[in-house]
Amino acid sequence: MKTLIKDGLFFSGDADEKAIKQDVLIDESGKILEIGLNLSTSDEEVKIVEAAGKWIVPGFIDSHTHYDAEVLASPGLKESARHGVTTIILGSCSVSAVFNNPEDTADSFTRVEAIPREVMLPLLEKEKTWNAPKEWKAYINTLPLGINIASFVGHSDIRMKALGIKRSLTDNVSATEEEKDQMLKMLNDALDEGFIGLSTMDNPWDKMDGDRYWSHKTPSFYSSWKERKSLIELLRKRNAVLQGAPNLVTRVNAFNYMLSSTGIFRKPLKTTMIAMMDLIGDRYIYPIIATASTGINVLGNANFRMQSPPCPFTVYYDGVDSVMFEEFPSGEALRHLAKELDQRDELISDPHFRDNFKKEIKKKFAPKVWHKDLSKAVIIDCPDKSLIGKNFFEIAAEKKQHPVDVFLDTIIQYDKKIRWTTTIANDRKEKYKDLYNFKYNLISFSDAGAHLNNMAFYNFPLKMIKIVQESIDKGTPIMSMEKCIWRLTKEQGNWFDLDRGFLTKGKMADLVIIDPTKFDNVTENVELDVIEEFGNYERLVNRNQGVISQVLVGGKTIFENEEFVTDYGKSKKYGKFLEKMGID
């Protein structure tokens, strides 16, 4: 059956193509047949969608997710789909679920990405029959995908397979020439299957789960740039993408990623690095990274991009169950003893430990992602209801104690039963104009599928659209709405070489119908919902009632009036595995 969408304000995804009222006719195969005014069809059976007063935009692209586990159990990926995201990229931050056995794979994912190991490991043990990219892709294509999926292959995944898990997690162990060749073949095989590139990790926060290698860094961290050289040159030769995360403690090796991207006397390498944010704890890092990114692209003929969330970066934590504590020694010690609560509480009670903790969180000039300001840490749940709504400085003033002592005492008393929240970045709206318009930046960093109880940015495109529209309404536009939509759609599709993000005749109709009169329903609030296929495991989600009128993938409606179609994620396939275009 054909679908005719009538009288919507049409955004093609091109920043320079002004949005005008149009009809969109979609054929039975899901492709756009015509775009124009007053379209009609002679077919007796046609679905008419009235879009007067609404916007028709390309489906959004989320280029940084960790849906590698969730897609196996819940292939609809509903929490992204309901917000108009029709294409996601997984396999980020060096971890993918392609080459290794279930236990090794789960241990590399579940601590760093805060995915429940008790869910992921049994899921992999049940489903994982593949050990190569071709087999993984074949499996993914059997799933009733709700939206489109593209993937990086993880450097930790291939390094763990080539060296074995023990050697891959050992300091000062480099791959042998034979092991380098094995990794090169694994990467090449993945590129042959349409994977978009390689993801790497240099951040020491990212640590292994499980009993065997608890608190070891992930395998990618232990590799030198010399060891990676052949992999990087293969990416360059094949026009693939290098995604990376630098050491967020020292930050110096961010320049390795920038330099790898340069194209003086060689082909530039598409390189993207996380994450560009206006950090409360380090206001200098944003302008430094912006200047360095501009310099390396202009002077070094690079193809380098940062990635950014376009909204306040607010996180929620239970006790010290937070990756942020990994960035300073005392916090790291607490996290290491997460499975040994008696030992952890004994450590917390040690006056010497407390003195060190106080000194470390007070350091003004130490590089930091978390601001470590306990006056900005607000309690939102606790057995002692009198503490709810207060920050630790306020409680300390009431008790006439040091805020760190109050914080640590509550951890001993309540452990994960005390839940608190803080915003660590992008708190200043006056800075959004620079962030949104910075040309060497990809507006896409949700971490969807990870940190299930810690944060929710599934609706980041709607948050950006709302902020831009508010600026337009006030007469001080951050940018045109056409450019805003382009940044969330076509720019991402073009940069990652994915055939999505643009609406024109002959293109697949992955699109979203938005009701701009409901933008007030896009807020920073989060709610709890469950992943049914994860045994009703709770996670934080976003809701924006009525903003998304309809979502179409492959020309077929998947979401309408706040409800998914009945067969969604169960029997009918709407999305597909997207192969990267243009790989030599």
Side-chain angles (χ1 to χ4, degrees):
M1 181 187 296
K2 291 179 181 176
T3 300
L4 179 59
I5 305 172
K6 296 186 65 66
D7 297 324
L9 186 64
F10 178 81
F11 293 80
S12 68
D14 194 318
D16 299 320
E17 186 174 324
K18 186 169 179 58
I20 59 173
K21 185 181 288 188
Q22 298 272 42
D23 300 342
V24 179
L25 180 61
I26 303 167
D27 67 17
E28 295 87 345
S29 71
K31 291 185 177 180
I32 297 174
L33 196 60
E34 294 289 346
I35 300 170
L37 289 172
N38 302 314
L39 295 182
S40 61
T41 176
S42 59
D43 293 55
E44 292 184 3
E45 290 192 11
V46 60
K47 180 179 179 181
I48 303 294
V49 178
E50 297 291 348
K54 299 177 181 179
W55 298 357
I56 304 168
V57 306
F60 305 122
I61 297 174
D62 187 346
S63 62
H64 192 104
T65 82
H66 292 281
Y67 275 130
D68 307 68
E70 189 171 334
V71 71
L72 309 181
S74 183
L77 302 180
K78 290 182 177 180
E79 284 311 317
S80 287
R82 69 166 58 247
H83 303 296
V85 173
T86 59
T87 296
I88 62 97
I89 301 175
L90 43 72
S92 303
C93 296
S94 90
V95 287
S96 58
V98 178
F99 289 101
N100 288 277
N101 67 49
E103 186 178 17
D104 293 352
T105 301
D107 286 357
S108 69
F109 265 95
T110 50
R111 177 172 171 178
V112 61
E113 302 304 342
I115 300 169
R117 188 174 188 270
E118 67 271 20
V119 171
M120 186 172 183
L121 180 54
L123 178 62
L124 288 171
E125 289 173 336
K126 176 186 175 184
E127 297 292 334
K128 196 173 190 306
T129 57
W130 61 87
N131 291 291
K134 186 174 183 178
E135 297 166 354
W136 178 87
K137 185 173 78 170
Y139 173 86
I140 291 295
N141 279 328
T142 67
L143 298 175
L145 296 175
I147 58 180
N148 303 305
I149 289 172
S151 184
F152 287 100
V153 64
H155 184 220
S156 286
D157 196 5
I158 65 174
R159 192 171 194 267
M160 190 159 46
K161 183 68 173 179
L163 277 68
I165 187 168
K166 183 176 181 179
R167 276 173 45 76
S168 75
L169 299 174
T170 303
D171 282 317
N172 302 315
V173 168
S174 296
T176 65
E177 291 303 316
E178 181 180 355
E179 289 164 344
K180 289 179 186 177
D181 289 343
Q182 290 177 25
M183 287 189 281
L184 199 63
K185 183 181 186 306
M186 284 186 272
L187 175 58
N188 199 57
D189 288 347
L191 298 180
D192 283 346
E193 296 302 324
F195 283 60
I196 60 177
L198 179 74
S199 67
T200 57
M201 174 55 63
D202 288 288
N203 188 25
W205 300 2
D206 288 35
K207 294 186 178 175
M208 300 287 288
D209 205 339
D211 296 326
R212 301 169 302 159
Y213 299 101
W214 174 257
S215 285
H216 285 69
K217 281 81 168 176
T218 48
S220 185
F221 176 86
Y222 294 94
S223 69
S224 66
W225 279 80
K226 181 179 179 181
E227 181 187 295
R228 301 178 194 181
K229 183 178 180 181
S230 61
L231 300 174
I232 290 172
E233 291 313 308
L234 178 61
L235 295 173
R236 191 188 311 277
K237 177 182 177 181
R238 299 201 58 180
N239 297 315
V241 179
L242 172 65
Q243 181 216 73
N247 186 318
L248 294 175
V249 177
T250 65
R251 298 179 178 169
V252 174
N253 78 332
F255 292 103
N256 288 337
Y257 287 100
M258 294 182 181
L259 293 171
S260 292
S261 184
T262 57
I264 299 176
F265 306 119
R266 62 182 182 181
K267 183 190 296 185
L269 171 65
K270 279 189 176 181
T271 306
T272 178
M273 189 173 74
I274 59 170
M276 189 173 188
M277 294 189 282
D278 176 27
L279 290 169
I280 292 175
D282 190 350
R283 295 299 193 188
Y284 297 103
I285 193 63
Y286 171 80
I288 290 172
I289 289 293
T291 300
S293 299
T294 301
I296 206 71
N297 279 291
V298 174
L299 302 178
N301 190 35
N303 194 350
F304 178 81
R305 298 291 184 274
M306 292 298 297
Q307 288 186 273
S308 295
C311 51
F313 202 85
T314 301
V315 292
Y316 300 80
Y317 288 112
D318 302 311
V320 290
D321 186 21
S322 162
V323 70
M324 294 190 304
F325 282 87
E326 302 281 13
E327 72 173 331
F328 63 106
S330 295
E332 189 177 20
L334 291 182
R335 288 276 286 167
H336 178 67
L337 293 174
K339 295 181 180 182
E340 308 292 341
L341 295 185
D342 289 343
Q343 292 181 41
R344 188 201 65 181
D345 291 349
E346 184 179 342
L347 178 68
I348 292 175
S349 301
D350 185 336
H352 180 67
F353 171 82
R354 291 195 174 212
D355 287 343
N356 285 338
F357 197 104
K358 292 170 185 175
K359 291 175 185 177
E360 288 166 12
I361 71 168
K362 282 174 61 178
K363 286 184 178 179
K364 289 186 177 181
F365 301 107
K368 51 189 172 181
V369 174
W370 176 32
H371 47 67
K372 303 181 183 66
D373 183 347
L374 293 176
S375 72
K376 299 182 187 297
V378 178
I379 297 169
I380 57 176
D381 195 18
C382 181
D384 182 351
K385 301 305 179 186
S386 69
L387 301 184
I388 296 175
K390 298 177 181 179
N391 65 57
F392 290 100
F393 261 68
E394 292 171 333
I395 300 168
E398 292 173 2
K399 294 186 174 184
K400 295 182 172 54
Q401 292 180 288
H402 193 286
V404 167
D405 289 322
V406 168
F407 177 76
L408 294 175
D409 286 344
T410 61
I411 300 305
I412 292 176
Q413 186 171 2
Y414 301 117
D415 192 29
K416 293 183 180 182
K417 292 180 181 179
I418 185 164
R419 186 161 175 80
W420 53 279
T421 182
T422 190
T423 297
I424 63 174
N426 292 353
D427 58 313
R428 302 186 294 181
K429 281 195 171 183
E430 64 270 22
K431 297 296 181 181
Y432 285 4
K433 185 171 185 177
D434 290 339
L435 184 71
Y436 289 7
N437 284 286
F438 184 57
K439 66 184 294 185
Y440 303 116
N441 190 27
L442 297 169
I443 308 292
S444 185
F445 179 71
S446 77
D447 254 6
H451 308 287
L452 300 177
N453 292 312
N454 308 132
M455 60 192 192
F457 303 109
Y458 299 97
N459 66 345
F460 74 89
L462 299 179
K463 289 181 177 178
M464 180 175 177
I465 290 170
K466 177 190 178 182
I467 291 167
V468 170
Q469 186 60 48
E470 287 176 343
S471 75
I472 292 171
D473 292 343
K474 291 176 183 177
T476 55
I478 289 175
M479 57 175 52
S480 70
M481 186 53 67
E482 288 83 357
K483 183 177 180 181
C484 175
I485 300 297
W486 168 75
R487 297 229 71 180
L488 295 165
T489 58
K490 187 181 180 183
E491 181 185 31
Q492 306 273 339
N494 284 353
W495 200 82
F496 287 102
D497 289 322
L498 298 174
D499 189 24
R500 289 299 185 273
F502 188 66
L503 300 177
T504 192
K505 185 175 178 179
K507 279 274 189 182
M508 193 61 71
D510 292 350
L511 59 84
V512 185
I513 302 175
I514 294 175
D515 186 345
T517 68
K518 302 291 179 66
F519 281 162
D520 284 348
N521 292 340
V522 181
T523 71
E524 291 299 319
N525 297 334
V526 296
E527 300 178 20
L528 273 176
D529 203 350
V530 299
I531 309 174
E532 293 179 7
E533 298 86 351
F534 275 17
N536 289 325
Y537 189 87
E538 287 189 333
R539 68 161 157 208
L540 295 177
V541 299
N542 312 112
R543 292 292 180 263
N544 22 255
Q545 186 76 23
V547 178
I548 299 294
S549 296
Q550 203 160 327
V551 181
L552 283 74
V553 174
K556 303 296 186 292
T557 298
I558 64 167
F559 184 77
E560 184 175 13
N561 299 324
E562 299 300 320
E563 296 288 341
F564 286 96
V565 295
T566 55
D567 59 359
Y568 187 75
K570 297 176 181 177
S571 57
K572 188 173 180 180
K573 185 174 182 177
Y574 294 90
K576 61 181 290 189
F577 176 77
L578 291 181
E579 296 183 14
K580 184 183 184 299
M581 302 184 298
I583 287 187
D584 292 343

